[in-house]
Amino acid sequence: MLDFGRDGAALVARTIAAADVDALRAEFSGLDFRAGSRPFSPSGLVRKLIGTDGCFGQAMRSIGHPPARAVRILAFDKTPDNNWNLGWHQDRVIAVKHKLPVEGFGTWTVKNGVPHVEAPESLLKHIVFLRLHLDPCPAENGALKIVPGSAELGKLTDAESKRIASNWPSIICEAAEGEILVVKALTLHASEPAATPSHRRVLHVDFCSCELPEGLSWALEPSGPQNQRRLQES
């Protein structure tokens, strides 16, 4: 069994209602997945789910994570027409409202009209991503793989990530419909193409438990009062 503190990932039992899963699937049907993922605008249902009492908030509390706010929402679906491979990497990029020169933030890109920037380790260690599975996700359906404990190594270069993933043991994080996988942003992860693709719908939400430094603001507006810690070096 995965342990969040030790492995940098944990699987949380289902708390979402069947009707909400069906409603999310309906929302996914209107998205374009030709490039694999798209920024997902939070509907009323999604805002409820990422709130303190929603399934994402419950998942965070179940692993003892400090209060955090949703800062990016993505949607993924592996299908016969869109079945990709994801190499070993850390999630080092965040979505912000505007491009600004801030020390420690660099390698700016624009994805779907939204500025993205690679963040420093001091911020990334306060970010986790949660993946709500809307379909069963066994190994053959492109389940996420992780390298347990790799988040403790800090921010890695691409070459370091490949070397560590080649030499450290990995785990395939299979999940049932409705279960949530919680992963530290700095945990090395990857996924294979689905062997028999039909659907592998995942609602992916980044959460951060600290604020951005001067001038920068998250692309995703907060949905309510926040209880955040200031970014600290530690």
Side-chain angles (χ1 to χ4, degrees):
M1 179 180 294
L2 288 170
D3 178 86
F4 187 74
R6 179 193 66 211
D7 301 320
L11 190 63
V12 179
R14 174 177 179 146
T15 60
I16 187 172
D20 287 341
V21 171
D22 290 341
L24 281 175
R25 287 173 177 161
E27 291 189 28
F28 269 53
S29 67
L31 300 177
D32 176 7
F33 290 102
R34 285 178 296 177
S37 66
R38 286 288 186 272
F40 193 92
S41 299
S43 64
L45 171 59
V46 172
R47 288 191 181 277
K48 181 187 79 170
L49 296 177
I50 66 177
T52 303
D53 296 325
C55 61
F56 286 93
Q58 294 178 54
M60 297 280 274
R61 288 196 301 276
S62 74
I63 62 168
H65 197 277
R69 89 180 198 195
V71 296
R72 185 173 63 158
I73 301 174
L74 301 173
F76 299 97
D77 189 10
K78 288 188 176 179
T79 67
D81 296 327
N82 187 41
N83 187 23
W84 67 92
N85 174 73
L86 185 66
W88 289 104
H89 68 289
Q90 298 171 307
D91 279 7
R92 303 183 307 213
V93 173
I94 62 171
V96 297
K97 284 195 177 300
H98 306 289
K99 179 179 178 179
L100 291 171
V102 177
E103 184 177 357
F105 293 76
T107 315
W108 288 87
T109 57
V110 176
K111 301 180 180 181
N112 302 290
V114 179
H116 284 67
V117 63
E118 187 167 319
E121 181 180 326
S122 55
L123 176 70
L124 294 174
K125 66 184 181 181
H126 295 294
I127 295 179
V128 298
F129 62 83
L130 279 69
R131 294 167 61 91
L132 170 62
H133 298 84
L134 304 183
D135 302 286
C137 194
E140 58 269 22
N141 202 22
L144 204 70
K145 304 182 293 183
I146 68 155
V147 176
S150 54
E152 300 307 311
L153 300 175
K155 188 176 178 180
L156 303 170
T157 65
D158 291 341
E160 289 171 333
S161 297
K162 291 178 181 178
R163 176 178 55 80
I164 291 164
S166 297
N167 291 282
W168 286 37
S170 61
I171 294 176
I172 299 175
C173 303
E174 297 183 302
E177 176 192 302
E179 289 185 325
I180 292 178
L181 180 66
V182 188
V183 185
K184 294 180 181 180
L186 290 175
T187 296
L188 283 172
H189 56 284
S191 71
E192 301 292 337
T196 54
S198 56
H199 278 295
R200 193 215 61 170
R201 288 165 288 199
V202 170
L203 180 61
H204 172 122
V205 185
D206 292 347
F207 283 84
C208 187
S209 56
C210 67
E211 294 178 349
L212 289 172
E214 68 281 354
L216 289 176
S217 57
W218 300 107
L220 184 65
E221 290 285 357
S223 56
Q226 306 298 330
N227 181 12
Q228 295 179 295
R229 295 179 292 124
R230 287 284 177 184
L231 179 61
Q232 296 177 344
E233 298 286 350
S234 60

